[in-house]
Amino acid sequence: MAISVGSAVPDFALKDQSQKEVKLSDYRGKKRVVLVFYPLDWSPVCTNEHACFVNDMKRFEGLDAQVLGVSVDSVWSHKAFAEKMGINYPLLADFQPRGATASQYGVYLADKGITGRAVAIVDRDGMIAWFRQYDIPVVPDVDEVAKALASVN
């Protein structure tokens, strides 16, 4: 079952494309977080989705938010993908156990072995302030995400 607005976020510690451990709780009290759950590096829709976030990154930084991408890909896949796409925000490897973090958020598709497509905005208090799931072939509207973020404490 997916998480809901107003609920506390499940914490996690995952490695990013630089093999650095990133904990969601490290942002508590400091920044809002935009969690971008996506199926797979290199797929056409995910590539377009990340291109949108890369192109709009200054907007998210201006809103004092940290973008974190999460998928079941390995650290090494994330590293190559980030380098190719010019991604400077962390891409987190929900790799072992596969999909464990996405499962906590209700977005892991066990039958397909991939993360579903969803965006969650976490406020500075560690609560879900906004959450939306998308069909796999749909690129999330980054403008909609930024507008939702602007209304969060």
Side-chain angles (χ1 to χ4, degrees):
M1 186 167 146
I3 54 168
S4 59
V5 171
S7 63
V9 294
D11 196 17
F12 57 76
L14 297 171
K15 299 268 182 157
D16 71 5
Q17 65 267 36
S18 302
Q19 297 193 53
K20 178 185 167 211
E21 185 177 83
V22 175
K23 291 182 185 174
L24 182 59
S25 57
D26 288 345
Y27 298 100
R28 186 166 290 167
K30 298 173 188 165
K31 285 187 173 255
R32 293 169 289 179
V33 177
V34 178
L35 290 174
V36 180
F37 292 96
Y38 65 101
L40 294 167
D41 294 340
W42 308 106
S43 67
V45 177
C46 296
T47 298
N48 289 341
E49 177 178 15
H50 283 287
C52 292
F53 277 101
V54 166
N55 292 338
D56 242 354
M57 193 48 52
K58 291 232 183 293
R59 186 174 183 188
F60 287 94
E61 290 168 356
L63 291 168
D64 196 32
Q66 175 64 56
V67 174
L68 301 174
V70 182
S71 80
V72 297
D73 295 290
S74 70
V75 167
W76 305 112
S77 178
H78 283 334
K79 181 174 175 51
F81 186 61
E83 287 173 1
K84 173 78 172 161
M85 295 292 299
I87 296 170
N88 294 317
Y89 51 87
L91 296 180
L92 305 177
D94 192 10
F95 185 68
Q96 194 62 26
R98 187 175 188 89
T101 296
S103 291
Q104 290 182 292
Y105 286 77
V107 297
Y108 181 63
L109 305 175
D111 60 326
K112 294 180 173 64
I114 60 172
T115 307
R117 193 175 312 284
V119 177
I121 297 174
V122 180
D123 69 18
R124 288 182 181 93
D125 297 325
M127 306 297 281
I128 297 293
W130 188 84
F131 180 73
R132 179 147 182 220
Q133 289 184 279
Y134 302 85
D135 288 335
I136 295 294
V138 174
V139 174
D141 182 345
V142 175
D143 190 49
E144 174 187 44
V145 175
K147 285 178 183 171
L149 178 63
S151 69
V152 173
N153 75 3

